[in-house]
Amino acid sequence: MAVLDILIAPHPVLKTKAKPVEKVDARIAKLMDDMVDTMYAANGIGLAAPQIGLSERVIVVDVHEKDEKPNPIRLANPEIVWASEDRAPCEEGCLSIPELYAEVVRPKAVRVRYLDEKNQPREIEADGMLATCLQHEIDHLDGVLFVDHLSTLKRGMIMRKLQKQQRQKTSA
Ligand code: GNR
Ligand code: NI
């Protein structure tokens, strides 16, 4: 069990397209466990390997409600194989853009193919928050942040707020 540091934007690793995993071996399975620990420690509902500085195609998600038991899903090489034409807005946040939120419009439902923690191929169909979260995490693997879906104006406002927030944090 290990809680890792999360990179804050702008950081070059967050803008880099991550490399596919060759096989989910013991190293990747351990990485997935550490990412689950890190996600829970940060109160996140998802985490992508680039956020902890590793440019590999690994994500974890868990959208369970507070009164439900944890339900972490570990995914390597996740790929959207189907997306609904129906789109829905969702207020998104990101652990790499702390405390700043904006509405992003994405497909309402998706089907994702991936390798699980035992290197077994699987598919998951999701809608609602899980669909949003999976798309947000897969974006991270392609160097895309939720602010990249916003207008230049809104993105600029958020990135300036983030800069200011980070300056104040380091000078405190
Ligand atoms: O914790 C998170 N919450 C969240 C809320 C709405 C849409 C997406 C997310 S993912 C985010 C964690 C994160 O930054 N994952 O990359
Ligand atoms: Ni994120």
Side-chain angles (χ1 to χ4, degrees):
M1 141 127 205
V3 172
L4 309 166
D5 285 337
I6 295 174
L7 300 180
I8 304 299
H11 189 290
V13 176
L14 294 172
K15 296 268 77 189
T16 304
K17 191 173 164 76
K19 287 194 191 65
V21 163
E22 249 185 56
K23 183 186 176 203
V24 180
D25 55 11
R27 179 182 72 88
I28 298 293
K30 162 84 160 64
L31 168 65
M32 288 168 160
D33 288 346
D34 290 348
M35 286 173 60
V36 170
D37 293 339
T38 304
M39 169 177 71
Y40 289 151
N43 289 317
I45 60 168
L47 189 71
Q51 292 181 279
I52 51 138
L54 266 182
S55 204
E56 301 194 70
R57 301 187 80 82
V58 176
I59 66 174
V60 297
V61 299
D62 188 346
V63 299
H64 80 278
E65 301 285 339
K66 276 197 195 108
D67 55 354
E68 296 170 357
K69 70 174 198 321
N71 181 31
I73 309 173
R74 297 158 168 86
L75 308 89
N77 301 343
E79 242 186 289
I80 295 172
V81 293
W82 171 82
S84 64
E85 271 169 37
D86 250 33
R87 282 159 194 271
C90 177
E91 187 84 354
E92 295 199 19
C94 182
L95 296 170
S96 297
I97 306 176
E99 291 154 47
L100 297 166
Y101 306 88
E103 198 164 87
V104 177
V105 178
R106 299 183 188 268
K108 247 183 173 167
V110 289
R111 191 166 182 85
V112 174
R113 183 175 298 157
Y114 65 100
L115 295 173
D116 73 7
E117 60 277 14
K118 292 179 175 155
N119 199 47
Q120 294 305 305
R122 283 180 183 257
E123 282 190 9
I124 184 173
E125 193 162 312
D127 61 11
M129 204 61 207
L130 181 57
T132 298
C133 188
L134 285 166
Q135 293 173 78
H136 175 116
E137 302 315 332
I138 293 169
D139 268 355
H140 274 299
L141 303 181
D142 294 321
V144 174
L145 301 174
F146 79 85
V147 293
D148 295 322
H149 293 282
L150 307 176
S151 66
T152 311
L153 181 70
K154 285 188 185 165
R155 179 168 54 251
M157 284 177 17
I158 290 183
M159 295 315 283
R160 275 190 297 280
K161 280 188 194 168
L162 180 61
Q163 271 186 357
K164 185 177 171 195
Q165 174 208 95
Q166 292 299 305
R167 267 202 314 274
Q168 287 175 340
K169 213 177 267 177
T170 48
S171 69

